[in-house]
Amino acid sequence: MPKNKQAALPPKMLPGEVLRFEDVRLSFGELKILQGVSFSVFAGEFVILLGENGAGKSTLLRLANGLLKPDIGAVAVCGHDTRQVKTSLIAKEVGFLFQNPDRQIFNKTIREEIEFGMKLHGIPTRPSYTEFRIPDFALDDDPFTLSRGERQRVALASVLACEPRLMLLDEPTVGLDDSEARQLMDAVKRRQRENNAAVLLITHDLELANAYADRKLLLERGRVADADILSWEDFSAQA
Amino acid sequence: MLTYYPGKTFLHRLDPTLKVLFAFTISTACFVFANIFVLLGILLFEFLLALSCGLWKWGLRSILGLLKLCALLFVIQILTYGDGDVLLRLYGDWVITFEGAEIGLILTLRITASALPLALMLRVTKPTALANSLYRYLHIPYKYAFAFGMAMRFIPIFAEEMAEIMEAQTARGVELDTRSFFKKIRLLMPLCVPLLLSSVRKIETATISAELRGFGLRKRK
């Protein structure tokens, strides 16, 4: 049973809306993480979430796919109220990339790893592996022999291969060099446009945020606000 | 579950070696006595010790958790022990007896009461203080004492990592949020691979880091 007792009324979603936070509050013991977060993400939007370390960005992403349930308020994703459905049931529509790819990878080969989600959700199409710069000859290699950047690409490939309606990406470019980071972001942007999907991505890289975001959100003191941030000076001023 | 809980209570301040000996004494006592009331008394005493350290919620949860784990043993015991006065006739010659139920209950209480003191000792003792104390008073080679301290230090880290791995797989659609215990266990098996790999990597890094700073050079005076 969800901890949140307001579960009777599922939040209504607007046409095209894939994610809706409605006055979400969440605490860990005495620590108040989110204090009334409300925002929406629509299909075809590339939204970047900014905020200082420890602001609760990763927690917000976990709320978005139901891994965490709000204490108060509601989160609706792809027509589901996260308080009512299991995360594994909405995983087909909501792709989630964790900051550390090693939490996600466990199959013996890269091919099995990428196709794992597809098989689980009954998706027959073969993903274009080359899009993620994984040459075909390496597909039968052990993913744990790859570098961190390569493992991150494999983890992303396995998320994108399922063609989710909403992609939740937690700092996918951490540990990648500039060129690798841009190639990864290009791949995400391309898939997002092709499928008219929505992206909610966390990053600390303002250059990337300015280059790829349709909209930027700032999480500060437990609340989310639309942010027009172009530089770190702006970031400090808004924070 | 076994991470250090900071505090300044009597048990917190007691020397770690004494705490180990105390815990082992209580655990041994559980195997010496075969009386339900004595075992219940020991369990109550252990709960009071936890209460004195401000850990009554943890104590209660641990007792209930251990009792749940032992429930299977209890069931096996009463279903397989056929001697004594019949309590319930199940099918044909298959019976549950008073003696079987009593032995099952003693077994359950014994395991619960013997596990709790060691767990409580770990909760009120810093791993480094424990390792140092074992080395100083029990003359355990410091390499082993250090390894023990490190193992205790890594338990919560590994638990957190396992929780993250489970979250990551649930987010991919693996039904780890199922209520079925057995299904969860079956789904968890392949996920031990990333945990094992990261554990080995972490331990390897810690070992190299310790050796680079001169670990192993010290000789007992």
Side-chain angles (χ1 to χ4, degrees):
Chain A
M1 279 297 286
K3 197 163 76 170
N4 187 349
K5 300 293 180 196
Q6 297 180 335
L9 291 170
K12 283 182 184 164
M13 298 191 86
L14 298 170
E17 200 176 26
V18 287
L19 177 66
R20 184 188 188 95
F21 272 62
E22 225 172 63
D23 194 29
V24 170
R25 288 157 203 267
L26 182 78
S27 304
F28 291 144
E30 297 291 302
L31 191 64
K32 289 179 179 168
I33 308 289
L34 302 179
Q35 303 181 55
V37 167
S38 298
F39 71 93
S40 293
V41 177
F42 289 85
E45 257 195 321
F46 199 115
V47 180
I48 287 192
L49 180 65
L50 299 159
E52 292 177 333
N53 285 331
K57 302 185 294 296
S58 298
T59 303
L60 188 144
L61 234 55
R62 281 176 161 81
L63 279 159
N65 77 336
L67 282 172
L68 291 174
K69 313 290 179 197
D71 292 339
I72 298 172
V75 178
V77 60
C78 300
H80 305 284
D81 184 342
T82 61
R83 297 166 301 182
Q84 313 281 5
V85 292
K86 290 197 288 188
T87 300
S88 55
L89 289 177
I90 53 176
K92 188 181 177 181
E93 292 173 288
V94 186
F96 197 111
L97 181 70
F98 280 74
Q99 207 179 100
N100 186 349
D102 295 346
R103 301 283 178 272
Q104 191 176 318
I105 294 170
F106 71 94
N107 283 293
K108 283 178 195 147
T109 67
I110 296 169
R111 186 192 306 276
E112 281 175 31
E113 189 57 44
I114 295 174
E115 290 178 349
F116 175 75
M118 302 171 75
K119 284 178 184 166
L120 209 61
H121 302 305
I123 300 168
T125 52
R126 181 183 177 273
S128 62
Y129 298 120
T130 47
E131 186 180 353
F132 314 108
R133 293 204 305 129
I134 301 160
D136 274 345
F137 65 80
L139 284 173
D140 291 317
D141 282 1
D142 182 345
F144 286 103
T145 59
L146 302 174
S147 71
R148 192 194 185 279
E150 288 167 332
R151 291 203 302 278
Q152 184 71 299
R153 281 205 299 277
V154 171
L156 179 68
S158 70
V159 171
L160 298 192
C162 295
E163 300 187 345
R165 285 173 64 197
L166 171 66
M167 294 178 242
L168 303 167
L169 312 174
D170 192 352
E171 299 197 43
T173 56
V174 163
L176 305 185
D177 63 34
D178 260 8
S179 136
E180 278 184 324
R182 288 207 171 258
Q183 277 171 4
L184 186 140
M185 292 293 277
D186 284 340
V188 174
K189 187 88 180 173
R190 200 160 44 244
R191 273 298 166 99
Q192 178 240 340
R193 281 191 179 147
E194 279 170 11
N195 301 338
N196 195 33
V199 173
L200 179 59
L201 181 147
I202 295 175
T203 185
H204 283 113
D205 190 330
L206 277 180
E207 241 179 75
L208 280 183
N210 289 327
Y212 290 91
D214 296 326
R215 189 152 61 94
K216 292 187 284 281
L217 297 173
L218 176 68
L219 179 62
E220 176 62 19
R221 292 186 197 95
R223 288 194 170 83
V224 160
D226 273 304
D228 187 17
I229 297 164
L230 295 170
S231 65
W232 278 106
E233 286 74 27
D234 293 339
F235 181 79
S236 309
Q238 291 217 17
Chain B
M1 272 301 273
L2 298 175
T3 48
Y4 174 65
Y5 176 77
K8 289 180 179 173
T9 64
F10 172 71
L11 270 186
H12 277 94
R13 285 183 278 117
L14 204 64
D15 183 85
T17 305
L18 269 180
K19 278 189 261 192
V20 172
L21 295 175
F22 189 41
F24 271 110
T25 308
I26 299 176
S27 296
T28 311
C30 296
F31 288 95
V32 171
F33 298 107
N35 183 300
I36 290 173
F37 296 105
V38 174
L39 290 170
L40 277 173
I42 292 175
L43 210 52
L44 179 67
F45 174 65
E46 288 166 2
F47 176 71
L48 291 175
L49 283 179
L51 180 71
S52 75
C53 305
L55 285 165
W56 70 271
K57 266 187 194 169
W58 171 85
L60 203 61
R61 266 206 310 267
S62 302
I63 290 173
L64 292 176
L66 284 164
L67 285 175
K68 267 187 210 168
L69 273 179
C70 295
L72 184 65
L73 286 177
F74 178 75
V75 172
I76 292 171
Q77 183 66 42
I78 58 167
L79 290 180
T80 52
Y81 193 91
D83 297 340
D85 300 331
V86 176
L87 180 68
L88 190 69
R89 193 166 291 280
L90 293 173
Y91 180 75
D93 288 340
W94 199 11
V95 291
I96 291 176
T97 62
F98 278 107
E99 282 77 357
E102 191 185 3
I103 292 172
L105 197 57
I106 287 172
L107 188 71
T108 303
L109 288 174
R110 198 173 256 174
I111 292 173
T112 307
S114 62
L116 205 61
L118 295 168
L120 182 62
M121 182 271 292
L122 292 173
R123 288 233 63 187
V124 295
T125 313
K126 278 185 189 166
T128 45
L130 180 61
N132 287 339
S133 182
L134 292 176
Y135 166 67
R136 185 180 299 167
Y137 298 115
L138 296 185
H139 298 288
I140 288 174
Y142 79 91
K143 278 187 181 176
Y144 297 115
F146 177 78
F148 176 74
M150 285 296 280
M152 296 316 300
R153 168 82 188 83
F154 275 121
I155 287 174
I157 295 173
F158 291 156
E160 202 174 298
E161 267 182 25
M162 194 62 203
E164 279 180 27
I165 290 167
M166 284 172 71
E167 271 193 350
Q169 301 309 326
T170 308
R172 293 175 86 182
V174 181
E175 250 192 289
L176 287 167
D177 42 11
T178 177
R179 285 188 181 173
S180 161
F181 176 74
F182 293 106
K183 192 174 181 185
K184 201 178 236 179
I185 292 290
R186 188 174 54 80
L187 292 170
L188 268 175
M189 283 309 182
L191 304 186
C192 293
V193 176
L195 183 68
L196 274 174
L197 280 166
S198 91
S199 313
V200 170
R201 269 194 210 130
K202 271 204 177 70
I203 289 163
E204 196 181 14
T205 312
T207 313
I208 293 169
S209 161
E211 281 179 352
L212 285 175
R213 282 178 281 172
F215 182 77
L217 295 175
R218 192 170 153 198
K219 299 274 181 264
R220 182 183 288 280
K221 286 174 186 169

